[in-house]
Amino acid sequence: MRQGLTGQTTALADKSDAGHRNTAIASALRTLVTEAEGLQALHTALSDGLGAPFSRTVDLIRALKGRVIVTGIGKSGHIGVKLAATLASTGTPAFFVHASEASHGDLGMITTDDVVIAISWSGETQELATTIAYTRRFKVPLVALTSREDSSLGKASDIVLALPRVMEACPHGLAPTSSTIIQMAMGDALAIALLESRGFTAQDFSVFHPGGKLGASLKHARDIMHTGDALPLAGADLPMREAIVLMTQKGFGVLGITDTHGALCGIITDGDLRRHLRSNFLDMTAAEVMTANPKSIAPDMLLASAVEFINAVSITAVFVVEDGKPVGIIHLHDLLRSGAA
């Protein structure tokens, strides 16, 4: 009897756990749907009236002699920190000034050559009053990122990026959720529009991201390739008995085959050796065993692209070719050591 009750209790507990999981998943899905609707509302607004002030903001920042100063407090402040960092990393000098700290000396960071982007969902954030007054006194351009164009912030600003008033995912309508999502999305849209308008390249990007995996992926093939005597190369008429020795000595698991002009015309891999293994194999020439027209990359290919390329064609080593001639080789292990893979 006791075992029966225990079994029933376990079954009820499992059913309860399953119910909690389903409830949590349903809640998560509602949150995502609500926030996605907020992004759609922002998309619609940018296609309509918000597009004009957005373009004016891009033009204003592009013409700056100074920097973009982003300010805010609370959740809007967190979004402001992210916006300033994104702008700075994509070619627009920017930093964040905390709205509260501005009253205690940080206003000195703002010059008349700068532009201030103030973020406040309500537009009535009391801590922003000092910064607003400062920009008006010294004629520093002020851009408002707010949902209320008729707010104190909106009325004081030179440009208002009026965000659509969206429903928060929080069931009580209190925790900033959908509102912060579209604030961040608007900031990203502004940063990318500025990036594209300046023709900011991956090479420019690498200047600001020299460290970590991102920095490694922004290096080029020429930065890590093996060159000179390290290259596993042989002529097309080399007997396979010698080709195998050379291939083993170089240690890349491949042997590049060149024609009489020094151009890469083929490659021998472990797979080629197995496919041609027969009684007269050692007497065959490299040209008879090689796979013609091997895959290759250029010296200026980004390592991020090289990783994608190697994964796509399922190879472990690739020759770097310039003007048809092999100038280097990269092994998958090189990409792993560099941090790009």
Side-chain angles (χ1 to χ4, degrees):
M1 183 70 173
R2 185 173 298 166
Q3 290 179 344
L5 289 174
T6 301
Q8 290 177 5
T9 302
T10 302
L12 288 172
D14 291 343
K15 186 175 181 180
S16 177
D17 289 343
H20 285 309
R21 285 195 297 272
N22 291 337
T23 300
I25 293 170
S27 174
L29 292 173
R30 284 196 301 271
T31 296
L32 294 177
V33 168
T34 304
E35 292 183 346
E37 289 172 349
L39 289 173
Q40 183 57 53
L42 179 61
H43 183 279
T44 301
L46 268 169
S47 302
D48 193 11
L50 183 53
F54 180 84
S55 296
R56 286 168 50 209
T57 302
V58 171
D59 292 340
L60 173 65
I61 295 174
R62 283 202 62 192
L64 273 184
K65 294 181 180 178
R67 301 146 303 175
V68 176
I69 312 300
V70 186
T71 187
I73 197 169
K75 302 300 185 293
S76 294
H78 294 311
I79 298 300
V81 172
K82 193 272 182 188
L83 172 55
T86 301
L87 287 168
S89 70
T90 52
T92 300
F95 62 84
F96 177 77
V97 173
H98 195 281
S100 293
E101 296 297 331
S103 300
H104 299 278
D106 284 2
L107 284 175
M109 298 180 180
I110 307 173
T111 75
T112 54
D113 289 331
D114 301 332
V115 61
V116 173
I117 297 179
I119 307 176
S120 171
W121 185 251
S122 67
E124 300 294 345
T125 304
Q126 184 177 355
E127 290 84 354
L128 284 173
T130 302
T131 303
I132 294 172
Y134 183 87
T135 64
R136 302 306 81 190
R137 178 183 177 187
F138 293 102
K139 295 181 172 55
V140 178
L142 177 63
V143 177
L145 189 59
T146 180
S147 69
R148 297 184 178 274
E149 194 167 5
D150 60 350
S151 63
S152 299
L153 173 61
K155 291 177 180 177
S157 299
D158 299 291
I159 301 175
V160 180
L161 298 176
L163 302 174
R165 300 180 192 178
V166 298
M167 181 184 298
E168 300 287 11
C170 169
H172 309 297
L174 299 175
T177 45
S178 302
S179 57
T180 51
I181 286 289
I182 66 171
Q183 283 176 335
M184 185 165 64
M186 190 63 169
D188 287 344
L190 182 61
I192 299 305
L194 286 163
L195 176 154
E196 293 179 343
S197 71
R198 290 193 174 101
F200 195 80
T201 65
Q203 286 72 25
D204 298 322
F205 201 75
S206 67
V207 172
F208 302 115
H209 300 79
K213 184 178 177 67
L214 182 56
S217 65
L218 289 170
K219 291 182 180 179
H220 298 88
R222 62 164 55 90
D223 296 324
I224 68 166
M225 68 185 187
H226 301 269
T227 61
D229 292 339
L231 290 179
L233 296 173
D237 58 351
L238 186 73
M240 283 307 301
R241 65 178 68 252
E242 297 179 32
I244 291 176
V245 173
L246 181 59
M247 185 173 170
T248 303
Q249 288 176 341
K250 297 298 183 178
F252 290 98
V254 298
L255 184 65
I257 308 304
T258 57
D259 61 19
T260 54
H261 302 290
L264 186 69
C265 62
I267 190 172
I268 296 176
T269 66
D270 291 335
D272 293 313
L273 297 182
R274 289 192 297 271
R275 282 189 291 273
H276 290 85
L277 196 57
R278 61 196 67 164
S279 59
N280 66 336
F281 172 70
L282 295 179
D283 296 321
M284 297 174 69
T285 64
E288 295 175 296
V289 176
M290 73 179 191
T291 296
N293 303 315
K295 304 289 185 182
S296 64
I297 62 175
D300 59 354
M301 176 179 278
L302 290 173
L303 293 190
S305 299
V307 171
E308 183 179 354
F309 176 82
I310 283 180
N311 288 334
V313 297
S314 299
I315 57 178
T316 57
V318 62
F319 279 97
V320 182
V321 173
E322 189 170 28
D323 296 327
K325 297 181 179 180
V327 294
I329 187 171
I330 293 177
H331 194 278
L332 179 59
H333 292 164
D334 300 316
L335 294 169
L336 290 170
R337 281 191 293 268
S338 73

